[in-house]
PDB file of all heavy atoms in Angstrom:
ATOM      1  N   TRP A 418     -28.282  23.471  37.460  1.00 98.00           N
ATOM      2  CA  TRP A 418     -28.055  24.472  36.404  1.00 98.00           C
ATOM      3  C   TRP A 418     -28.107  23.796  35.035  1.00 98.00           C
ATOM      4  O   TRP A 418     -28.731  24.305  34.095  1.00 98.00           O
ATOM      5  CB  TRP A 418     -26.692  25.175  36.587  1.00 98.00           C
ATOM      6  CG  TRP A 418     -26.442  26.213  35.531  1.00 98.00           C
ATOM      7  CD1 TRP A 418     -26.804  27.525  35.573  1.00 98.00           C
ATOM      8  CD2 TRP A 418     -25.811  26.010  34.252  1.00 98.00           C
ATOM      9  NE1 TRP A 418     -26.432  28.147  34.400  1.00 98.00           N
ATOM     10  CE2 TRP A 418     -25.827  27.252  33.577  1.00 98.00           C
ATOM     11  CE3 TRP A 418     -25.235  24.905  33.619  1.00 98.00           C
ATOM     12  CZ2 TRP A 418     -25.289  27.409  32.301  1.00 98.00           C
ATOM     13  CZ3 TRP A 418     -24.711  25.060  32.341  1.00 98.00           C
ATOM     14  CH2 TRP A 418     -24.738  26.316  31.694  1.00 98.00           C
ATOM     15  N   CYS A 419     -27.428  22.656  34.924  1.00 98.00           N
ATOM     16  CA  CYS A 419     -27.394  21.950  33.637  1.00 98.00           C
ATOM     17  C   CYS A 419     -28.780  21.426  33.282  1.00 98.00           C
ATOM     18  O   CYS A 419     -29.234  21.550  32.134  1.00 98.00           O
ATOM     19  CB  CYS A 419     -26.391  20.806  33.674  1.00 98.00           C
ATOM     20  SG  CYS A 419     -24.677  21.348  33.806  1.00 98.00           S
ATOM     21  N   SER A 420     -29.467  20.823  34.261  1.00 98.00           N
ATOM     22  CA  SER A 420     -30.805  20.278  33.981  1.00 98.00           C
ATOM     23  C   SER A 420     -31.727  21.377  33.461  1.00 98.00           C
ATOM     24  O   SER A 420     -32.460  21.186  32.486  1.00 98.00           O
ATOM     25  CB  SER A 420     -31.410  19.672  35.247  1.00 98.00           C
ATOM     26  OG  SER A 420     -30.613  18.611  35.718  1.00 98.00           O
ATOM     27  N   ALA A 421     -31.702  22.527  34.106  1.00 98.00           N
ATOM     28  CA  ALA A 421     -32.635  23.601  33.751  1.00 98.00           C
ATOM     29  C   ALA A 421     -32.212  24.318  32.469  1.00 98.00           C
ATOM     30  O   ALA A 421     -32.998  24.425  31.519  1.00 98.00           O
ATOM     31  CB  ALA A 421     -32.739  24.607  34.902  1.00 98.00           C
ATOM     32  N   TYR A 422     -30.978  24.819  32.444  1.00 97.00           N
ATOM     33  CA  TYR A 422     -30.586  25.726  31.367  1.00 97.00           C
ATOM     34  C   TYR A 422     -30.111  25.013  30.106  1.00 97.00           C
ATOM     35  O   TYR A 422     -30.369  25.486  29.002  1.00 97.00           O
ATOM     36  CB  TYR A 422     -29.505  26.694  31.848  1.00 97.00           C
ATOM     37  CG  TYR A 422     -29.981  27.644  32.934  1.00 97.00           C
ATOM     38  CD1 TYR A 422     -29.569  27.496  34.247  1.00 97.00           C
ATOM     39  CD2 TYR A 422     -30.845  28.700  32.630  1.00 97.00           C
ATOM     40  CE1 TYR A 422     -29.986  28.379  35.240  1.00 97.00           C
ATOM     41  CE2 TYR A 422     -31.276  29.579  33.599  1.00 97.00           C
ATOM     42  CZ  TYR A 422     -30.843  29.419  34.911  1.00 97.00           C
ATOM     43  OH  TYR A 422     -31.259  30.282  35.873  1.00 97.00           O
ATOM     44  N   LEU A 423     -29.397  23.896  30.283  1.00 96.00           N
ATOM     45  CA  LEU A 423     -28.986  23.152  29.082  1.00 96.00           C
ATOM     46  C   LEU A 423     -30.128  22.276  28.580  1.00 96.00           C
ATOM     47  O   LEU A 423     -30.264  22.046  27.387  1.00 96.00           O
ATOM     48  CB  LEU A 423     -27.732  22.309  29.358  1.00 96.00           C
ATOM     49  CG  LEU A 423     -26.483  23.083  29.806  1.00 96.00           C
ATOM     50  CD1 LEU A 423     -25.298  22.151  30.021  1.00 96.00           C
ATOM     51  CD2 LEU A 423     -26.111  24.183  28.800  1.00 96.00           C
ATOM     52  N   GLY A 424     -30.953  21.775  29.513  1.00 97.00           N
ATOM     53  CA  GLY A 424     -32.068  20.913  29.117  1.00 97.00           C
ATOM     54  C   GLY A 424     -33.230  21.675  28.509  1.00 97.00           C
ATOM     55  O   GLY A 424     -33.830  21.229  27.523  1.00 97.00           O
ATOM     56  N   TYR A 425     -33.583  22.829  29.090  1.00 97.00           N
ATOM     57  CA  TYR A 425     -34.793  23.541  28.661  1.00 97.00           C
ATOM     58  C   TYR A 425     -34.506  24.920  28.049  1.00 97.00           C
ATOM     59  O   TYR A 425     -35.404  25.546  27.504  1.00 97.00           O
ATOM     60  CB  TYR A 425     -35.755  23.701  29.848  1.00 97.00           C
ATOM     61  CG  TYR A 425     -36.274  22.365  30.366  1.00 97.00           C
ATOM     62  CD1 TYR A 425     -35.566  21.639  31.312  1.00 97.00           C
ATOM     63  CD2 TYR A 425     -37.461  21.823  29.871  1.00 97.00           C
ATOM     64  CE1 TYR A 425     -36.026  20.409  31.770  1.00 97.00           C
ATOM     65  CE2 TYR A 425     -37.930  20.600  30.317  1.00 97.00           C
ATOM     66  CZ  TYR A 425     -37.207  19.888  31.272  1.00 97.00           C
ATOM     67  OH  TYR A 425     -37.666  18.673  31.709  1.00 97.00           O
ATOM     68  N   GLY A 426     -33.245  25.410  28.186  1.00 95.00           N
ATOM     69  CA  GLY A 426     -32.904  26.735  27.659  1.00 95.00           C
ATOM     70  C   GLY A 426     -32.145  26.656  26.342  1.00 95.00           C
ATOM     71  O   GLY A 426     -32.643  27.059  25.289  1.00 95.00           O
ATOM     72  N   SER A 427     -30.928  26.104  26.388  1.00 93.00           N
ATOM     73  CA  SER A 427     -30.141  26.025  25.151  1.00 93.00           C
ATOM     74  C   SER A 427     -30.521  24.803  24.328  1.00 93.00           C
ATOM     75  O   SER A 427     -30.291  24.772  23.129  1.00 93.00           O
ATOM     76  CB  SER A 427     -28.644  25.978  25.468  1.00 93.00           C
ATOM     77  OG  SER A 427     -28.270  24.688  25.918  1.00 93.00           O
ATOM     78  N   GLY A 428     -31.048  23.772  24.997  1.00 94.00           N
ATOM     79  CA  GLY A 428     -31.380  22.535  24.287  1.00 94.00           C
ATOM     80  C   GLY A 428     -30.188  21.649  23.994  1.00 94.00           C
ATOM     81  O   GLY A 428     -30.313  20.662  23.271  1.00 94.00           O
ATOM     82  N   ALA A 429     -29.020  21.976  24.586  1.00 94.00           N
ATOM     83  CA  ALA A 429     -27.827  21.153  24.343  1.00 94.00           C
ATOM     84  C   ALA A 429     -27.912  19.805  25.049  1.00 94.00           C
ATOM     85  O   ALA A 429     -27.213  18.871  24.697  1.00 94.00           O
ATOM     86  CB  ALA A 429     -26.572  21.905  24.803  1.00 94.00           C
ATOM     87  N   HIS A 430     -28.726  19.748  26.095  1.00 97.00           N
ATOM     88  CA  HIS A 430     -28.931  18.492  26.836  1.00 97.00           C
ATOM     89  C   HIS A 430     -30.394  18.076  26.733  1.00 97.00           C
ATOM     90  O   HIS A 430     -31.271  18.883  26.403  1.00 97.00           O
ATOM     91  CB  HIS A 430     -28.571  18.687  28.313  1.00 97.00           C
ATOM     92  CG  HIS A 430     -27.102  18.642  28.588  1.00 97.00           C
ATOM     93  ND1 HIS A 430     -26.583  18.687  29.862  1.00 97.00           N
ATOM     94  CD2 HIS A 430     -26.026  18.558  27.759  1.00 97.00           C
ATOM     95  CE1 HIS A 430     -25.262  18.615  29.806  1.00 97.00           C
ATOM     96  NE2 HIS A 430     -24.898  18.558  28.545  1.00 97.00           N
ATOM     97  N   ALA A 431     -30.651  16.818  27.099  1.00 98.00           N
ATOM     98  CA  ALA A 431     -32.036  16.330  27.141  1.00 98.00           C
ATOM     99  C   ALA A 431     -32.831  17.166  28.138  1.00 98.00           C
ATOM    100  O   ALA A 431     -32.292  17.537  29.177  1.00 98.00           O
ATOM    101  CB  ALA A 431     -32.052  14.866  27.566  1.00 98.00           C
ATOM    102  N   PRO A 432     -34.106  17.466  27.827  1.00 98.00           N
ATOM    103  CA  PRO A 432     -34.887  16.986  26.687  1.00 98.00           C
ATOM    104  C   PRO A 432     -34.746  17.831  25.424  1.00 98.00           C
ATOM    105  O   PRO A 432     -35.502  17.609  24.470  1.00 98.00           O
ATOM    106  CB  PRO A 432     -36.324  17.059  27.227  1.00 98.00           C
ATOM    107  CG  PRO A 432     -36.301  18.248  28.140  1.00 98.00           C
ATOM    108  CD  PRO A 432     -34.936  18.212  28.801  1.00 98.00           C
ATOM    109  N   GLY A 433     -33.803  18.783  25.395  1.00 97.00           N
ATOM    110  CA  GLY A 433     -33.542  19.518  24.168  1.00 97.00           C
ATOM    111  C   GLY A 433     -34.512  20.646  23.882  1.00 97.00           C
ATOM    112  O   GLY A 433     -34.677  21.048  22.731  1.00 97.00           O
ATOM    113  N   ARG A 434     -35.168  21.153  24.926  1.00 97.00           N
ATOM    114  CA  ARG A 434     -36.086  22.278  24.707  1.00 97.00           C
ATOM    115  C   ARG A 434     -35.334  23.605  24.766  1.00 97.00           C
ATOM    116  O   ARG A 434     -34.314  23.732  25.406  1.00 97.00           O
ATOM    117  CB  ARG A 434     -37.219  22.218  25.739  1.00 97.00           C
ATOM    118  CG  ARG A 434     -38.181  21.073  25.435  1.00 97.00           C
ATOM    119  CD  ARG A 434     -39.228  20.892  26.502  1.00 97.00           C
ATOM    120  NE  ARG A 434     -40.075  22.074  26.676  1.00 97.00           N
ATOM    121  CZ  ARG A 434     -41.102  22.125  27.529  1.00 97.00           C
ATOM    122  NH1 ARG A 434     -41.392  21.054  28.272  1.00 97.00           N
ATOM    123  NH2 ARG A 434     -41.825  23.220  27.640  1.00 97.00           N
ATOM    124  N   LYS A 435     -35.857  24.590  24.049  1.00 95.00           N
ATOM    125  CA  LYS A 435     -35.175  25.884  23.919  1.00 95.00           C
ATOM    126  C   LYS A 435     -36.129  27.010  24.251  1.00 95.00           C
ATOM    127  O   LYS A 435     -36.489  27.817  23.401  1.00 95.00           O
ATOM    128  CB  LYS A 435     -34.634  26.053  22.492  1.00 95.00           C
ATOM    129  CG  LYS A 435     -33.631  24.970  22.099  1.00 95.00           C
ATOM    130  CD  LYS A 435     -33.234  25.061  20.636  1.00 95.00           C
ATOM    131  CE  LYS A 435     -32.312  23.910  20.287  1.00 95.00           C
ATOM    132  NZ  LYS A 435     -31.952  23.848  18.873  1.00 95.00           N
ATOM    133  N   ALA A 440     -37.030  27.017  31.089  1.00 98.00           N
ATOM    134  CA  ALA A 440     -35.791  26.888  31.870  1.00 98.00           C
ATOM    135  C   ALA A 440     -35.979  27.464  33.273  1.00 98.00           C
ATOM    136  O   ALA A 440     -35.520  26.883  34.266  1.00 98.00           O
ATOM    137  CB  ALA A 440     -34.640  27.578  31.142  1.00 98.00           C
TER     138      ALA A 440
END
Side-chain angles (χ1 to χ4, degrees):
W418 181 89
C419 293
S420 299
Y422 295 107
L423 300 181
Y425 296 87
S427 77
H430 281 185
R434 288 174 61 177
K435 300 173 184 176

